């Protein structure tokens, strides 16, 4: 309803958060977003989280909860407070906030809540509960691989190794739709590789580690693991080739 708020959303959906925050603060100060006061608070708090401004974001969400905001806004505020608490390591608080969400949740919010709650439960080593949450997961189709990845981890850590490995294999062989899913595939294959090395199965481990891209967030760990697998197989020359490549990379 307010053109200036639409402009803020334009930058927000392009993930240009700095420009979006700047324009939002200016528009609010000049009184240009009267029809979107509560939504703009919510948006500002979410963008603050992306910059690690947890205290500022927390103040915004608590202010929304102290007011008379509708249930949709309150649920999102509880979700963001849970996310902040999880990122800061306050796991009990994070679980409490997420469980306060109630009423009818949209498809996306329901999926986000279940995924974050499962991550909180895994961080608390309550793997069986996390497994139950993820097995009942419902949300947007593009988020399903993330739920599956976490389900695979939860199953492995709860002792259901074969089931967990099978799910991670599906994630590691999926057709990625974007760079994030490419990274998720890499991470799934990395987990499979390292798990199989610990199980004394270096040949299978090496096959999974070879599927990790040479240039990505998990490439260095994959090279290290591939070297270990080759050493276990006594193919020392191949181990040296891999480790020599790793040695030439940036230490950071």
């Amino acid at each position: 309803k307010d053109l200036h708020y639409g402009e803020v959303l334009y930058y927000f959906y392009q993930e240009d958060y700095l420009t979006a925050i700047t324009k939002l603060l200016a528009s609010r100060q000049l009184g240009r977003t009267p029809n979107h006061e509560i939504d703009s608070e919510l948006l500002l708090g979410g963008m603050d989280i992306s910059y690690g401004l947890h205290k500022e974001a927390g103040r915004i969400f608590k202010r929304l909860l102290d007011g008379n905001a509708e249930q949709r806004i309150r649920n999102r505020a509880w979700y963001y407070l849970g996310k902040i608490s999880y990122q800061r390591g306050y796991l009990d608080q994070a679980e409490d906030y997420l469980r306060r969400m109630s009423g009818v949740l949209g498809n996306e919010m329901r999926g986000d809540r279940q995924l974050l709650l499962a991550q909180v439960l895994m961080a608390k080593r309550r793997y069986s509960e996390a497994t139950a949450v993820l097995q009942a997961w419902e949300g947007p189709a593009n988020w399903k691989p993330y739920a599956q990845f976490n389900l695979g981890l939860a199953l492995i850590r709860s002792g259901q190794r074969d089931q967990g490995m099978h799910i991670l294999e599906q994630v590691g062989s999926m057709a990625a739709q974007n760079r994030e899913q490419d990274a998720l595939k890499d991470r799934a294959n990395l987990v499979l590789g390292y798990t199989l090395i610990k199980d004394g199965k270096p040949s299978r481990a090496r096959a999974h580690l070879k599927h990790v891209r040479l240039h990505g967030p998990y490439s260095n760990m994959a090279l290290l693991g591939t070297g270990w697998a080759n050493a276990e197989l006594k193919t020392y020359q191949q181990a040296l080739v891999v480790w020599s490549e790793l040695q030439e990379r940036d230490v950071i």
Side-chain angles (χ1 to χ4, degrees):
K1 295 180 180 179
D2 298 320
L3 181 61
H4 290 282
Y5 186 64
E7 185 185 21
V8 169
L9 291 177
Y10 171 78
Y11 289 105
F12 171 76
Y13 285 120
Q14 292 189 91
E15 298 183 3
D16 184 357
Y17 298 136
L18 183 59
T19 303
I21 288 174
T22 304
K23 289 186 175 291
L24 180 56
L25 290 174
S27 295
R28 283 162 60 91
Q29 188 171 346
L30 295 169
R32 291 173 171 172
T33 56
N35 293 299
H36 299 280
E37 187 175 346
I38 293 178
D39 282 309
S40 66
E41 280 271 273
L42 199 58
L43 185 66
L44 181 60
M47 289 190 289
D48 280 347
I49 292 176
S50 70
Y51 280 104
L53 302 172
H54 294 133
K55 288 183 179 179
E56 289 79 357
R59 281 197 290 268
I60 289 173
F61 298 132
K62 285 175 181 175
R63 188 162 63 243
L64 287 171
L65 289 166
D66 288 339
N68 296 316
E70 58 184 289
Q71 192 62 43
R72 172 183 66 87
I73 298 294
R74 296 179 70 82
N75 279 336
R76 193 163 285 276
W78 286 127
Y79 170 77
Y80 278 130
L81 284 171
K83 187 174 185 177
I84 291 169
S85 299
Y86 171 67
Q87 290 176 343
R88 299 181 74 186
Y90 302 145
L91 302 178
D92 289 338
Q93 201 173 59
E95 183 181 356
D96 177 55
Y97 288 144
L98 291 171
R99 293 196 185 279
R100 291 192 188 198
M101 297 171 68
S102 61
V104 178
L105 300 177
N107 192 41
E108 184 175 344
M109 178 53 62
R110 182 172 59 248
D112 286 348
R113 176 188 176 274
Q114 287 177 294
L115 190 54
L116 183 56
L117 179 59
Q119 289 174 312
V120 170
L121 292 171
M122 281 198 285
K124 297 175 78 172
R125 300 183 184 278
R126 289 158 56 185
Y127 302 120
S128 296
E129 291 178 60
T131 297
V133 170
L134 290 166
Q135 285 175 331
W137 184 86
E138 292 180 50
N142 60 319
W143 279 99
K144 187 175 180 180
Y146 300 93
Q148 290 294 95
F149 173 80
N150 281 282
L151 177 59
L153 284 183
L155 285 167
I156 289 173
R157 291 172 182 173
S158 66
Q160 301 176 69
R161 181 169 293 242
D162 291 343
Q163 281 182 270
M165 296 280 279
H166 177 67
I167 290 173
L168 287 179
E169 284 172 357
Q170 291 179 329
V171 176
S173 60
M174 68 177 179
Q177 303 296 317
N178 51 49
R179 289 173 61 187
E180 284 187 8
Q181 289 188 3
D182 275 331
L184 189 66
K185 283 181 63 176
D186 286 349
R187 192 174 176 193
N189 281 302
L190 186 72
V191 171
L192 287 165
Y194 272 69
T195 301
L196 288 164
I197 288 172
K198 289 178 183 177
D199 287 350
K201 300 174 181 176
S203 183
R204 285 183 61 194
R206 185 172 62 179
H208 283 291
L209 292 168
K210 283 184 176 179
H211 287 300
V212 180
R213 293 169 299 162
L214 277 174
H215 300 284
Y218 303 104
S219 57
N220 288 0
M221 290 180 70
L223 288 171
L224 180 63
T226 301
W228 285 341
N230 282 320
E232 288 289 325
L233 292 166
K234 298 186 177 0
T235 53
Y236 300 116
Q237 188 63 43
Q238 291 182 47
L240 285 171
V241 170
V242 173
W243 284 337
S244 295
E245 164 64 23
L246 183 59
Q247 190 178 34
E248 293 176 5
R249 297 193 173 197
D250 192 321
V251 173
I252 294 174

